[in-house]
Amino acid sequence: MTQPAPDTQAVPLMLFNSLTRSIEPFEPVHSGEARVYSCGPTVYNYAHIGNMRAYVFADTLGRVLSFKGYRLKHIINITDVGHLTDDGDAGEDKLEKAAAAQAQSIWDIAKHYTEAFWDDVKALNIREPAQWSVATDYVPRMIEFAKSIADKHCYELPSGLYFDVSTVADYGSLARAATEAGEGRIETVEGKRNAQDFAIWRKTPEGEARQMEWDSPWGKGAPGWHLECSVMSEALLGFPFDIHTGGIDHREIHHPNEIAQNQAFACSHQSGARIWMHNNFLIDRTGKMSKSSGEFLRLPLLVSKGIHPLAYRLMCLQAHYRSELEFSWDNLLAALTRLKRLVMGVEKLKLELKASGQTIDSFPLDQLEKSIFDGAVSNDLNTPKVIAQLEAIVAGDWVVASKRLQGVKIADEILGLNLLGLTRKDLRLRPVGATIDEAEVERLLQLRKEARADKNFAASDAIRDELTAAGIEVMDGDPLGWEWRIEV
Ligand code: AMP
Ligand code: ZN
């Protein structure tokens, strides 16, 4: 095996900017720093695995910025007010609706789903952002922001304060869908000047009580969803900041509306963030990702089927973030197999390292290890290539174990697969309900090996049957040498 060649030395980081529709060099607003804002979850329900692709992407971007040597300031918001059941202005607030349906307070609903989201974040080894900014903490600031743009850019209707999109230049230049398609999704509100105008403040209708409402110059009510991201990104990162991320659906309405507000607030054509980046969708044809479909595809569902959550992370990283990714159980199991192979390779390297009496730090870290991955990540986050390079390093024999493990460590700073920490045992997850004693399985397998060595096939078959009855599949001839697994 020959040593993978470094692509180039210290190449500039190139990122695809949805706003200019081109790949551009990353030039930070503040020298040496990268300020990133990611649209976060609306905590009225559990996140499905498609949602989690958006945070794996944002996390990978953050890891690459750190790898490139920037000090990262990453903000992810938690939407606990304002996101309507419709992207327009005629639906209900998702949290108000969930609270009414579950007969709980909005605060309890938000807390429950925020905590569930954080569990998923942790399971996917997504790094904590500098701050989780919670929308309801910023409502007074949202009111001040709205006041500052109201005269020049907004008008009042009985249902709220609306932003007039004709008052800013090039409204919607970020969006790709024909405006008609975009408009088609927005239910009309009587009196709107332009179909794309949107509410920045929604008044509580007469005679109705909302759990969440605040006093404002436009009456009691709640902020529109788009306002929160403009306000929190400005408050925490300052305009202009470097990068704004979200799923590709946000490119059509949510982000164009944020940009319009930002332009109005800053009295400038600038859009608040210099680069707008969007991850493409995880597609599921089984319909299990719809939050209304009872049991839907959440991370804990994968775990309950015995699949390690980091196999899902690897599945995401195997595709480029701007490509659609089709979900299937086969794809996921293939990613799990790939992860197992990597973990087994790393375990082997660790044994070699131990036998050699060296440590991972026995040799100074030279530029080589970093530069191997630099070209790929700098090319708009080419994680599929980083994974292939990593595999070449793990499988290669061109240099001692400690050097190869250094390569694994560096690649894993980018990929976040916990490759130095995971063991085979971690990957052999138990499906819900499995009552298996691993030590007992290993003991029986050892007895079976001895029986086979003695050519006592009756005894070895009997042990195999016993294991099968206990839900263990014995994997003779498995190319990975995985030996056994718990049947799903
Ligand atoms: P939400 O909680 O609905 O605001 O969505 C959270 C994030 O997930 C947003 O950035 C969405 O754009 C993103 N998202 C929603 N569905 C998918 C999907 N199927 N694949 C990838 N990202 C998605
Ligand atoms: Zn947002």
Side-chain angles (χ1 to χ4, degrees), residues 106-165:
I106 286 191
W107 308 104
D108 289 340
I109 293 276
K111 181 170 183 289
H112 175 77
Y113 292 113
T114 302
E115 283 169 2
F117 172 70
W118 284 338
D119 287 345
D120 291 355
V121 161
K122 215 166 162 202
L124 287 169
N125 206 19
I126 290 170
R127 298 193 305 184
E128 285 277 320
Q131 192 175 325
W132 299 102
S133 58
V134 179
T136 45
D137 290 343
Y138 285 82
V139 175
R141 201 165 172 131
M142 291 187 221
I143 293 171
E144 289 310 309
F145 186 115
K147 267 162 64 179
S148 77
I149 62 173
D151 286 351
K152 268 175 120 177
H153 298 275
C154 304
Y155 56 93
E156 221 175 314
L157 292 178
S159 54
L161 184 70
Y162 285 79
F163 191 98
D164 179 342
V165 298

Side-chain angles (χ1 to χ4, degrees), residues 321-369:
Y321 75 91
R322 284 196 286 128
S323 308
E324 265 183 12
L325 173 60
E326 169 128 12
F327 175 78
S328 72
W329 291 103
D330 282 350
N331 284 349
L332 185 61
L333 288 172
L336 179 63
T337 301
R338 199 173 186 190
L339 184 61
K340 282 178 176 175
R341 225 177 237 132
L342 277 166
V343 166
M344 289 171 77
V346 172
E347 281 189 347
K348 220 172 111 208
L349 285 177
K350 284 185 191 161
L351 287 177
E352 265 178 65
L353 185 71
K354 208 168 165 198
S356 71
Q358 290 168 349
T359 70
I360 190 164
D361 300 317
S362 289
F363 296 95
L365 188 67
D366 56 37
Q367 279 310 302
L368 174 73
E369 285 79 4

Side-chain angles (χ1 to χ4, degrees), residues 37-40 77 79 225-226 228-229 244 250 254-255 258:
Y37 182 92
S38 300
C39 286
N77 71 296
T79 298
W225 172 42
H226 316 296
E228 68 174 76
C229 288
H244 194 310
H250 288 347
H254 182 48
H255 289 171
E258 271 188 53

Side-chain angles (χ1 to χ4, degrees), residues 195-451:
Q196 298 111 317
D197 290 353
F198 56 91
I200 65 172
W201 189 262
R202 296 172 301 111
K203 296 183 197 175
T204 305
E206 282 284 309
E208 224 180 77
R210 281 183 182 155
Q211 279 195 45
M212 284 205 200
E213 52 185 10
W214 292 261
D215 287 322
S216 84
W218 317 282
K220 247 190 202 346
W225 172 42
H226 316 296
L227 188 58
E228 68 174 76
C229 288
S230 284
V231 169
M232 291 189 282
S233 60
E234 193 277 330
L236 297 166
L237 301 178
F239 284 163
F241 62 96
D242 296 301
I243 305 175
H244 194 310
T245 79
I248 201 162
D249 52 333
H250 288 347
R251 198 184 58 187
E252 306 307 319
I253 296 175
H254 182 48
H255 289 171
N257 291 354
E258 271 188 53
I259 289 174
Q261 294 167 157
N262 297 352
Q263 290 175 327
F265 181 78
C267 302
S268 135
H269 288 335
Q270 287 182 354
S271 50
R274 280 197 178 162
I275 299 183
W276 294 76
M277 293 179 75
H278 297 99
N279 64 278
N280 211 323
F281 262 31
L282 180 81
I283 307 292
D284 160 56
R285 292 182 207 281
T286 66
K288 288 278 186 205
M289 235 161 53
S290 152
K291 293 188 182 185
S292 54
S293 79
E295 185 199 47
F296 61 93
L297 267 175
R298 294 176 53 204
L299 204 61
L301 180 70
L302 313 192
V303 175
S304 75
K305 290 184 185 291
I307 296 165
H308 197 281
L310 290 174
Y312 176 67
R313 182 173 177 115
L314 179 58
M315 183 178 143
C316 291
L317 297 175
Q318 286 179 165
H320 190 260
Y321 75 91
R322 284 196 286 128
S323 308
E324 265 183 12
L325 173 60
E326 169 128 12
F327 175 78
S328 72
W329 291 103
D330 282 350
N331 284 349
L332 185 61
L333 288 172
L336 179 63
T337 301
R338 199 173 186 190
L339 184 61
K340 282 178 176 175
R341 225 177 237 132
L342 277 166
V343 166
M344 289 171 77
V346 172
E347 281 189 347
K348 220 172 111 208
L349 285 177
K350 284 185 191 161
L351 287 177
E352 265 178 65
L353 185 71
K354 208 168 165 198
S356 71
Q358 290 168 349
T359 70
I360 190 164
D361 300 317
S362 289
F363 296 95
L365 188 67
D366 56 37
Q367 279 310 302
L368 174 73
E369 285 79 4
K370 277 201 115 166
S371 62
I372 287 172
F373 307 110
D374 197 19
V377 289
S378 302
N379 180 12
D380 196 26
L381 320 182
N382 188 347
T383 53
K385 188 161 177 187
V386 174
I387 299 166
Q389 287 170 322
L390 166 68
E391 285 170 332
I393 287 176
V394 172
D397 51 9
W398 43 273
V399 73
V400 290
S402 61
K403 280 260 140 204
R404 284 194 275 156
L405 282 169
Q406 282 182 353
V408 171
K409 191 172 167 193
I410 291 166
D412 209 41
E413 280 167 16
I414 298 163
L415 300 171
L417 294 169
N418 191 18
L419 290 173
L420 292 176
L422 277 184
T423 62
R424 268 168 180 244
K425 200 170 164 209
D426 296 322
L427 293 179
R428 202 181 272 132
L429 276 182
R430 290 145 191 276
V432 166
T435 51
I436 278 151
D437 175 351
E438 303 222 354
E440 178 62 5
V441 173
E442 299 286 356
R443 191 185 68 81
L444 288 172
L445 280 175
Q446 186 53 36
L447 285 180
R448 180 168 175 267
K449 258 192 202 149
E450 288 163 17

Side-chain angles (χ1 to χ4, degrees), residues 38 54-65 72 74 76 124-128 313 413-416:
S38 300
Y55 307 108
V56 168
F57 155 64
D59 180 50
T60 308
L61 171 66
R63 285 170 177 272
V64 168
L65 288 162
L72 177 68
H74 189 192
I76 305 180
L124 287 169
N125 206 19
I126 290 170
R127 298 193 305 184
E128 285 277 320
R313 182 173 177 115
E413 280 167 16
I414 298 163
L415 300 171

